[in-house]
Amino acid sequence: MRTVHNAGGREDGEPVPAGAARELAEETGLTGLPLEYARSLDFTNQRGLRVRQFVFTAVVPDGTPIVLSPDHDGHQWATADQLPPTSDGQRTVIEWLTGRLALPGWRPVGGYVTTIARPSSYGCFLVTDPQGRVLGMRSAINPGVWNLPGGNVEHGETPFAAALREAQEELGLDLAAENPEVIARRRLVAVIHEQAGTEYPLPVCGYVFDGGVLTAEQQARIRLDPAEHTEFRFDTAHDWRSRMTPAHYQRLRQVLRAHRSGVPLYLERPTRDGDDFEGVLVFVTDRAGRLLMHLREDRPDMAWPGYWTPIGGWREADESARESAVREVREEAGIEITGLRTLPDPHHDLGLPLTRVLHAVWDGPDGDLRLGDEGLAVRMVPLDEVLDLKVPPYLHHYLPLLAAAADQSTGRTS
């Protein structure tokens, strides 16, 4: 087996690999050989022009005939240390290449990249309205899917440039002109890597950027591309849950978590063990057999409006479930809890998606309770009176578990 070296210029509009194959065929008569890209280098040619040379390798089976072009009158096979007269540039390339080929396991990058996973990539924007509701667009191809503005990265594009181009095509708005200060910052919200699966056969790496806020006047100028999307809407995270599959809803919650935190997050799907949650529900009981309850505002854009619920909330940044639980209880009730234990994850029909459920026992006085900046009231309620309040159905599932724990802590038997 032998390697061959020849060179030539690329024709206008010709792809570089095609130009290399054409020059090889014209000058040596060799065709059909797999070419592997090795490297590029810049130099000044004899006419004083800066030139970029792309180097490919090809392996020629022994005995293959060489048919020279009329521009050449001879050829020879030579080792790197016995080269015939040649230019300094060609000698440098050949010595570099033969040195690399001598390294165990080395192969040209053009061949190496065929052995590794090459993910597809996309860029998109998280866009909201002045009320913080998220913009989504219904896919014309798959009506059950709602997309953020953006799309796949094309050759020569960065993920941010792709997001900007796709958003303009899909919305009819140039976000760089509509929200210049936000777009100029190029704030990265999250990077999401998804392994190949049934939905898409290649790994996918997505970059989500902050697209800013669209006013009512700007929203009125949205013009969808009907070939891609049939409608758009701004909805709360709570309302998006009913329009998305669990996987797509989790992805939205992850992006919103990153946006809230102000720190870009790296996220994986499937998620790591123990990291597949976006919210917590915290049952705080005391030795007297009471449960800490929180009265929620009666607003239609939130879960359980006007209900009494245990303390809970959404995850921030890269918090663990216990860290989220401690913070939420501190923010909503003004107390510190320790000794958390996990309770069984809720069934899907209990209305608690992406939620971790935890329990803590608190021994402080009621006077320490302080209502935070969410909700209307917070107080300890005897377990046997909880169901007298307006409460979510999941309380019927968890109250027996809490009652059993209370009995164990007091030594009571039924």
Side-chain angles (χ1 to χ4, degrees):
M1 308 287 281
R2 301 174 182 271
T3 58
V4 64
H5 179 273
N6 73 290
R10 183 172 69 94
E11 297 181 351
D12 290 342
E14 185 178 45
V16 172
R22 176 185 52 75
E23 285 287 341
L24 181 63
E26 291 176 357
E27 297 188 7
T28 67
L30 296 172
T31 60
L33 296 177
L35 301 184
E36 291 189 347
Y37 172 72
R39 64 171 292 184
S40 67
L41 69 159
D42 298 336
F43 61 94
T44 302
N45 67 11
Q46 295 176 343
R47 293 183 294 171
L49 300 176
R50 291 295 290 171
V51 177
R52 174 162 295 174
Q53 184 178 68
F54 297 88
V55 181
F56 293 79
T57 66
V59 178
V60 183
D62 290 339
T64 301
I66 302 296
V67 181
L68 297 177
S69 70
D71 296 332
H72 301 87
D73 57 13
H75 77 280
Q76 73 176 77
W77 297 99
T79 60
D81 57 352
Q82 295 180 335
L83 293 176
T86 185
S87 70
D88 291 341
Q90 289 184 340
R91 183 178 296 275
T92 298
V93 170
I94 294 172
E95 290 176 348
W96 174 86
L97 181 58
T98 54
R100 292 296 191 276
L101 289 171
L103 298 175
W106 184 88
R107 65 181 301 182
V109 64
Y112 169 71
V113 296
T114 66
T115 68
I116 60 177
R118 290 181 288 173
S120 170
S121 60
Y122 66 88
C124 62
F125 285 109
L126 177 66
V127 178
T128 65
D129 67 3
Q131 289 73 47
R133 297 177 299 182
V134 178
L135 171 63
M137 303 174 299
R138 186 193 291 273
S139 169
I141 298 174
N142 187 348
V145 173
W146 291 80
N147 299 316
L148 300 180
N152 290 332
V153 177
E154 296 182 353
H155 290 294
E157 278 188 325
T158 64
F160 184 84
L164 204 56
R165 172 184 54 78
E166 287 281 351
Q168 184 166 4
E169 293 174 0
E170 294 172 346
L171 297 175
L173 297 179
D174 179 2
L175 291 181
E178 302 291 341
N179 294 326
E181 294 184 1
V182 173
I183 300 302
R185 286 197 293 267
R186 301 191 177 206
R187 177 193 164 197
L188 178 66
V189 176
V191 177
I192 304 176
H193 185 275
E194 299 184 54
Q195 295 287 13
T198 56
E199 183 176 355
Y200 203 70
L202 294 174
V204 178
C205 192
Y207 299 80
V208 185
F209 301 95
D210 184 5
V213 176
L214 291 183
T215 65
E217 184 274 330
Q218 290 169 316
Q219 295 172 36
R221 291 189 280 108
I222 291 177
R223 297 294 181 268
L224 297 181
D225 178 357
E228 294 197 50
H229 299 99
T230 58
E231 64 173 299
F232 73 89
R233 64 187 306 120
F234 288 84
D235 263 342
T236 66
H238 173 67
D239 290 335
W240 276 122
R241 177 189 161 213
S242 64
R243 304 183 188 279
M244 294 181 168
T245 65
H248 283 90
Y249 181 65
Q250 181 179 17
R251 181 163 55 195
L252 176 63
R253 294 281 2 170
Q254 289 175 315
V255 169
L256 292 176
R257 169 161 57 100
H259 191 259
R260 287 195 308 272
S261 73
V263 178
L265 290 184
Y266 169 69
L267 306 165
E268 293 182 350
R269 292 188 59 215
T271 55
R272 298 177 307 228
D273 290 343
D275 200 44
D276 57 343
F277 77 98
E278 291 301 315
V280 292
L281 183 67
V282 193
F283 291 95
V284 180
T285 58
D286 62 11
R287 303 296 179 186
R290 299 181 301 170
L291 175 64
L292 180 61
M293 297 292 284
H294 184 238
L295 178 59
R296 299 173 65 82
E297 295 99 329
D298 191 2
R299 299 202 322 258
D301 61 342
M302 66 186 306
W304 310 118
Y307 281 68
W308 285 89
T309 72
I311 301 296
W314 294 111
R315 183 184 188 185
E316 298 290 347
D318 58 353
E319 288 177 329
S320 68
R322 282 177 168 78
E323 290 169 339
S324 293
V326 170
R327 176 184 52 75
E328 286 290 340
V329 172
R330 181 190 307 121
E331 292 176 353
E332 296 185 10
I335 61 174
E336 297 292 330
I337 56 172
T338 59
L340 284 154
R341 69 183 182 104
T342 58
L343 294 178
D345 288 344
H347 300 293
H348 292 298
D349 57 0
L350 293 179
L352 297 171
L354 313 177
T355 303
R356 287 284 179 271
V357 184
L358 301 100
H359 172 230
V361 177
W362 178 63
D363 287 328
D366 289 8
D368 287 351
L369 295 175
R370 295 288 184 274
L371 178 66
D373 57 3
E374 296 181 21
L376 302 176
V378 61
R379 65 185 177 92
M380 302 298 296
V381 179
L383 289 175
D384 57 4
E385 297 178 11
V386 168
L387 296 183
D388 295 335
L389 304 173
K390 182 181 180 182
V391 296
Y394 60 74
L395 265 301
H396 294 269
H397 175 81
Y398 282 105
L399 280 177
L401 300 178
L402 299 173
D407 289 345
Q408 292 175 3
S409 65
T410 59
R412 290 181 295 180
T413 60
S414 56

